[in-house]
Amino acid sequence: MLLHGFPLDRTIWRPQINALSGSYQIVTPDLRGHGKSKPMEGPYTMDLLAEDVNRLLDSLRLDQVTLGGLSMGGYVVLAFYRKFPQRVRALILVDTRAEADDPEARARREHQALSVLKNGSRELVDQLIVKMFTEKTFRDQPKLVDETRKMMESTSPAGIAGALRGMALRPDSTAMLASIKVPTLILVGSNDSITTVADAQKMAQRIPGSELVVVPEAAHLTTLERPHEVNTALRRFLNKVHTGQTFTP
Ligand code: MLT
């Protein structure tokens, strides 16, 4: 099961579904307030989103999954592992971090939430889209950039505000990393300025036996920007998980 980031939707995993669904059952939900899921009243705390995922697993009758998430999706993955570790077979953390927001980041999110609710999301989308891809991708793949911008613009103001306020409330997960007992793959774009290589390295140092892959020439949305490299890393990791070759502490 793969969880998207903010303010995106399940289609950020389309290249992974195309490449891997012949070998694995892949579930990519729209988190509440995003994509085709309804914008409900926020804040969408990471715990609440983790409970949504838990209910979805129940309804799909899946006892255990490999759970992956990109950015906000990664925050939900860590919340899920904290609440329901027995349901997790392995973890995939993509362009994400364990730290909570500092007071400045929390204030910025509240300011953004109020502005989006009052004036719409255009300004925020303008600020975010430049961080999603490298300059090269802006030059060479204008269609991909345009589609991603549209994906963000189609997230409702209520959904955006709910997620911003939920992310601002998330606790620091650093201390729990050392207690992760399942195989873990960490991926990060070499040029990611939202969740940096240093953030990924800190997680890798703390999660026992974890594997870190830095995806070259990629910014924040690595799944769409560098699908081949991401798919290769996922395939190798999933193969190891399913053949029992990963180190489990
Ligand atoms: C995301 O990509 O999910 C968000 O940018 C993460 C964040 O704002 O912390």
Side-chain angles (χ1 to χ4, degrees):
M1 180 168 292
L2 299 171
L3 309 178
H4 62 78
F6 161 88
L8 303 161
D9 66 34
R10 70 196 183 288
T11 60
I12 67 158
W13 300 107
R14 191 181 295 135
Q16 288 66 51
I17 292 177
N18 289 343
L20 302 170
S21 60
S23 312
Y24 300 97
Q25 180 185 11
I26 306 180
V27 184
T28 55
D30 280 331
L31 297 171
R32 67 168 73 193
H34 295 75
K36 290 195 162 31
S37 290
K38 280 199 213 92
M40 308 163 86
E41 205 178 319
Y44 311 152
T45 63
M46 301 304 105
D47 277 5
L48 190 62
L49 297 175
E51 282 157 21
D52 288 346
V53 170
N54 194 48
R55 273 192 296 274
L56 179 59
L57 290 178
D58 284 345
S59 67
L60 295 172
R61 295 177 201 279
L62 295 170
D63 288 341
Q64 233 196 7
V65 286
T66 292
L67 186 63
L70 182 141
S71 203
M72 179 179 76
Y75 307 157
V76 180
V77 166
L78 293 173
F80 186 91
Y81 188 80
R82 200 173 13 244
K83 290 175 92 68
F84 312 107
Q86 72 288 354
R87 293 199 93 156
V88 179
R89 181 165 188 182
L91 292 174
I92 302 168
L93 298 165
V94 188
D95 298 289
T96 192
R97 68 159 86 79
E99 284 85 3
D101 285 359
D102 60 22
E104 202 183 308
R106 273 198 286 272
R108 190 171 54 242
R109 291 206 203 265
E110 182 55 27
H111 177 77
Q112 288 169 335
L114 291 171
S115 157
V116 167
L117 288 170
K118 188 157 174 254
N119 307 315
S121 62
R122 182 166 286 263
E123 194 185 323
L124 180 64
V125 171
D126 283 346
Q127 285 165 18
L128 288 177
I129 191 75
V130 291
K131 297 183 177 170
M132 293 289 150
F133 301 110
T134 57
E135 280 176 26
K136 185 172 184 309
T137 297
F138 270 87
R139 270 197 315 274
D140 298 349
Q141 298 193 67
K143 191 161 167 276
L144 174 64
V145 174
D146 195 47
E147 281 166 6
T148 306
R149 172 186 277 283
K150 291 204 172 83
M151 189 196 311
M152 292 170 144
E153 282 171 352
S154 69
T155 311
S156 68
I160 289 179
L164 283 167
R165 287 172 170 157
M167 286 192 284
L169 290 170
R170 76 187 189 284
D172 196 301
S173 296
T174 309
M176 58 89 73
L177 297 178
S179 66
I180 292 180
K181 291 194 172 50
V182 294
T184 301
L185 172 66
I186 301 165
L187 287 167
V188 64
S190 57
N191 299 9
D192 191 346
S193 62
I194 298 182
T195 49
T196 63
V197 171
D199 292 327
Q201 284 167 337
K202 276 192 253 170
M203 293 194 293
Q205 277 156 14
R206 289 180 168 85
I207 302 177
S210 60
E211 192 183 321
L212 171 64
V213 175
V214 179
V215 181
E217 294 186 50
H220 192 55
L221 246 184
T222 46
T223 59
L224 290 175
E225 188 166 35
R226 290 273 149 228
H228 176 71
E229 288 78 357
V230 170
N231 295 344
T232 301
L234 291 181
R235 205 189 294 280
R236 198 175 332 114
F237 177 70
L238 291 170
N239 188 41
K240 281 202 281 182
V241 169
H242 286 265
T243 54
Q245 288 173 49
T246 40
F247 165 76
T248 308

